[in-house]
Amino acid sequence: MARPVIALLTDFGTRDHYTGTMKAVALSICPEATLVDISHEIDPHDIFDGAIQLASTYHYFPASTIFLVVIDPGVGSERSGLAAEVGGYRFVAPDNGVLSGVFAGKEPTQVVEITERRYARPTVSKTFEGRDKFAPAAAWLAKGVKLTALGRPTSKFLRLDLPSADVSSDGIKGEVLRVDRYGNVVTNISRKDFERLSGQGGIQLTIGSYRVERVVGTYAEIAEGEVCALFGSTDHLELAANSSNAADSLQVKRGSEVSILRTK
């Protein structure tokens, strides 16, 4: 029988003990689990980026993987904890919208509010529910406990408004979703929508006040000092520079407008 997999996504970083302590709690309940770090470098409290990165990642994992997602500026408040099943995967997270990207791609088949105390640590800290509530819940799922054992079913949970590109016969209006650590500017414009438009004739691509002249296949094709467009690993349009920070060069950030117009 395959070992259960728990994948962790947090904003804890690695300087403090928080990530390691959550892993310790999970392994104390389910020592046979394989723990995988997606990232612990989400910017502090950045639920939006957590939602985007989780949605871009989860479907590459083996079926039945459990995702322990703790980006939680509302820790200790009245917000609920959720356990959900989507497409054969299970997720444990605060009810703050961090699962919105997953739910946008595929509706959950089950969602419960985590209320059953027997699957939490005896004392739940109001400042570290990741350790005392969410890590135990994920570990008990890995141990074989049913999702519905964790609490009562719910259909009321928070969803973030994740922006989608506005596509018309004349063009596409999109925006920057995130900037990665290399300064690559990731947009919400899909390859499919771009190719449908560009296949009809010439296009003009603009981000902020900068007109992007070329769409390339790889970062290495970009000349020094140039910013080009390409499609990254998630098949969404990116703006990139060769071995330098495109976001700084363009002076853009999350939410900056990206426009593609059909010219003929």
Side-chain angles (χ1 to χ4, degrees), residues 57-226:
T57 305
Y58 82 93
H59 51 279
Y60 292 104
F61 279 80
S64 300
T65 295
I66 298 150
F67 295 87
L68 174 55
V69 184
V70 186
I71 302 161
D72 193 15
V75 62
S77 69
E78 293 300 312
R79 66 96 188 91
S80 302
L82 298 178
E85 183 168 351
V86 180
Y89 299 101
R90 288 165 292 172
F91 301 82
V92 173
D95 182 14
N96 59 14
V98 74
L99 300 181
S100 296
V102 174
F103 292 169
K106 185 172 289 189
E107 284 295 314
T109 52
Q110 285 185 314
V111 182
V112 302
E113 184 180 343
I114 301 173
T115 55
E116 182 52 65
R117 288 299 304 271
R118 79 178 80 174
Y119 298 118
R121 283 176 48 79
T123 302
V124 177
S125 167
K126 287 187 176 294
T127 63
F128 200 0
E129 290 181 298
R131 177 193 67 193
D132 298 335
K133 185 174 182 179
F134 298 127
W140 281 113
L141 289 175
K143 196 77 172 173
V145 167
K146 299 293 186 183
L147 191 85
T148 50
L150 297 181
R152 55 181 176 267
T154 182
S155 59
K156 296 181 180 179
F157 41 84
L158 185 64
R159 294 187 192 238
L160 301 180
D161 183 17
L162 301 178
S164 57
D166 181 11
V167 182
S168 70
S169 59
D170 296 323
I172 304 172
K173 291 183 179 180
E175 65 181 75
V176 176
L177 290 182
R178 61 185 307 268
V179 176
D180 72 14
R181 67 174 295 163
Y182 299 101
N184 299 320
V185 179
V186 183
T187 79
N188 62 353
I189 298 174
S190 70
R191 182 194 293 268
K192 181 179 178 180
D193 287 336
F194 177 88
E195 290 182 345
R196 183 183 295 118
L197 183 70
S198 62
Q200 299 174 1
I203 59 167
Q204 178 179 308
L205 170 57
T206 305
I207 178 167
S209 60
Y210 185 90
R211 180 168 175 176
V212 180
E213 300 293 343
R214 292 202 300 145
V215 180
V216 298
T218 67
Y219 302 110
E221 295 176 48
I222 305 171
E224 184 176 353
E226 184 183 25

